[in-house]
Amino acid sequence: SYNFIDNNNRLLTPNLWYDYVWDFVNGYATVKIDNKLNLLKKDGSLVSQNKWFDGIRSRNKCGFFVVYDNELYNFIDTSGNILSKTWFKNAEAFIEATEYFPYTVARVEREDYYMNLLLINGEFMFPVWITNYYYDDENDTFRLVKDHRYNIFTQEYGLLSNEEKEN
């Protein structure tokens, strides 16, 4: 069993021992009990009070961890809140907005391999699930591809053609 010792030589979690622990990185350590993972804060509290996961990826600058459970992915914030109601077949870490791509998003994929971009508020950027997209930074538009068909999307106007719109 494993634990941590604080600066005063006291156990960080005296009532909870772990099957394995990893080093603290940016204020969080991954801990393992019964093949499930959680994140431990330096104050000895767990990030997720109610749920342990099969896998956890490092937190990025946007403040979210990618978590994996029952073969599906989602995101949690530093308080353990799950970001999306939907769990995904695959999820990439959030990328921060830049001068050339002014959106903070994570690429997510459903079990049928269609993808979307997830915003940090848990909403999807596009009203349809797609196979690919291309971003035009000069016009701030997205060319969406779905099954070899194309559509144009803008944040201001939505889809150019609504024939592909899903609920």
Side-chain angles (χ1 to χ4, degrees):
S1 292
Y2 296 84
N3 210 318
F4 292 95
I5 295 175
D6 66 15
N7 291 337
N8 297 316
N9 290 326
R10 286 181 268 175
L11 289 174
L12 192 57
T13 58
N15 298 322
L16 186 58
W17 285 77
Y18 308 99
D19 297 337
Y20 196 80
V21 298
W22 287 262
D23 291 335
F24 277 90
V25 177
N26 297 323
Y28 300 89
T30 301
V31 293
K32 180 179 184 179
I33 295 178
D34 295 331
N35 290 322
K36 291 289 194 171
L37 303 175
N38 206 327
L39 294 156
L40 184 67
K41 298 178 188 179
K42 287 190 173 185
D43 67 3
S45 63
L46 294 169
V47 167
S48 179
Q49 297 295 318
N50 301 317
K51 185 157 182 62
W52 288 65
F53 304 96
D54 294 332
I56 300 173
R57 291 192 208 148
S58 298
R59 179 176 66 118
N60 62 10
K61 294 178 184 176
C62 299
F64 291 97
F65 297 91
V66 178
V67 293
Y68 177 78
D69 199 45
N70 296 318
E71 300 182 16
L72 295 172
Y73 292 86
N74 209 322
F75 302 86
I76 59 170
D77 63 17
T78 56
S79 298
N81 299 309
I82 295 175
L83 179 62
S84 178
K85 297 176 202 166
T86 304
W87 285 75
F88 308 100
K89 175 81 174 163
N90 193 19
E92 298 175 2
F94 275 90
I95 57 168
E96 290 187 83
T98 67
E99 178 183 347
Y100 301 105
F101 189 81
Y103 305 100
T104 300
V105 295
R107 185 184 184 280
V108 293
E109 189 176 287
R110 295 190 313 200
E111 290 197 44
D112 60 6
Y113 299 102
Y114 286 106
M115 58 87 56
N116 208 322
L117 298 180
L118 188 68
L119 302 166
I120 58 173
N121 66 1
E123 300 294 322
F124 297 108
M125 176 169 275
F126 309 128
V128 295
W129 287 81
I130 57 176
T131 50
N132 205 351
Y133 72 92
Y134 303 93
Y135 179 67
D136 176 357
D137 63 324
E138 288 183 28
N139 298 302
D140 193 25
T141 59
F142 292 86
R143 182 171 46 142
L144 307 182
V145 183
K146 181 177 181 183
D147 300 328
H148 306 288
R149 297 181 68 191
Y150 294 86
N151 205 331
I152 302 296
F153 174 83
T154 69
Q155 285 289 76
E156 186 175 358
Y157 299 110
L159 289 174
L160 179 65
S161 167
N162 285 326
E163 70 182 57
E164 292 290 322
K165 191 168 189 175
E166 297 174 2
N167 292 327

